[in-house]
Amino acid sequence: KLETELNREQLLAVKHTCCPLLVLAGAGSGKTKVLTYRAFYLISQLQIKPEEIILLTFTNKAAEEMKKRVASSGELGFAGTFHTFCARMLRQYGPMIGLSANFVIYDGDDMEAAIKMAIRNLGLDLKTNKQGVFLHLISRLKNDLTPHDELEATARDDFYKRLVSIWRGYQKILADSRAVDFDDLLLNCVKLLSLPQMREKMKE
């Protein structure tokens, strides 16, 4: 049945077994379908327990679709978005990396207010230092796992030096409020899972 329902690339992804799998594809290409069929395959063909399977996606809509499709096979260990998964992990294990378990998650409006405050605290003009530009750059750097110190060491012009200062100020504002933004959820989860003791715990 799989051969008739899936194309070659989808079938390879569904039957992939040697390690965790990341599927990158455009909108409407069948990512949700691949993940759900993969779950069915692991459960029915490889006798993997549903509670040992984690399916992650970036949108709530796709996450809900996955849950509905796989519900008949049993309750999965987790099926949802990367951000929700990371938030749950950090609520439970965040103190291992110095993050309070009671952290607040800043939404877009909170992030904009924080970056504006960081710009003002440096005595910079909001009109010539657009908060949207800096939020975008900070987000990209976080997703590239680029730390402050590395950017500061390589910053050669005034703009990037200003970016480092604004970024540091922004993170301090979040830290003072025991808050994280959406990118911090992913970044801190990577940091958490990099700990040998955490990786051992995940095998239990």
Side-chain angles (χ1 to χ4, degrees), residues 148-161:
H148 299 121
D149 295 343
E150 182 179 322
L151 181 63
E152 189 170 29
T154 59
R156 293 289 180 266
D157 58 43
D158 290 340
F159 177 80
Y160 278 96
K161 291 177 181 177

Side-chain angles (χ1 to χ4, degrees), residues 77-120:
F78 181 83
T81 66
F82 283 93
H83 292 94
T84 300
F85 175 76
C86 290
R88 290 190 184 183
M89 289 284 292
L90 294 170
R91 293 286 185 206
Q92 187 169 359
Y93 301 109
M96 293 175 67
I97 56 170
L99 180 66
S100 168
N102 298 316
F103 63 83
V104 176
I105 302 174
Y106 270 15
D107 62 16
D109 290 338
D110 296 324
M111 292 161 60
E112 187 171 323
I115 201 76
K116 282 182 178 179
M117 186 181 298
I119 292 170
R120 288 196 192 99

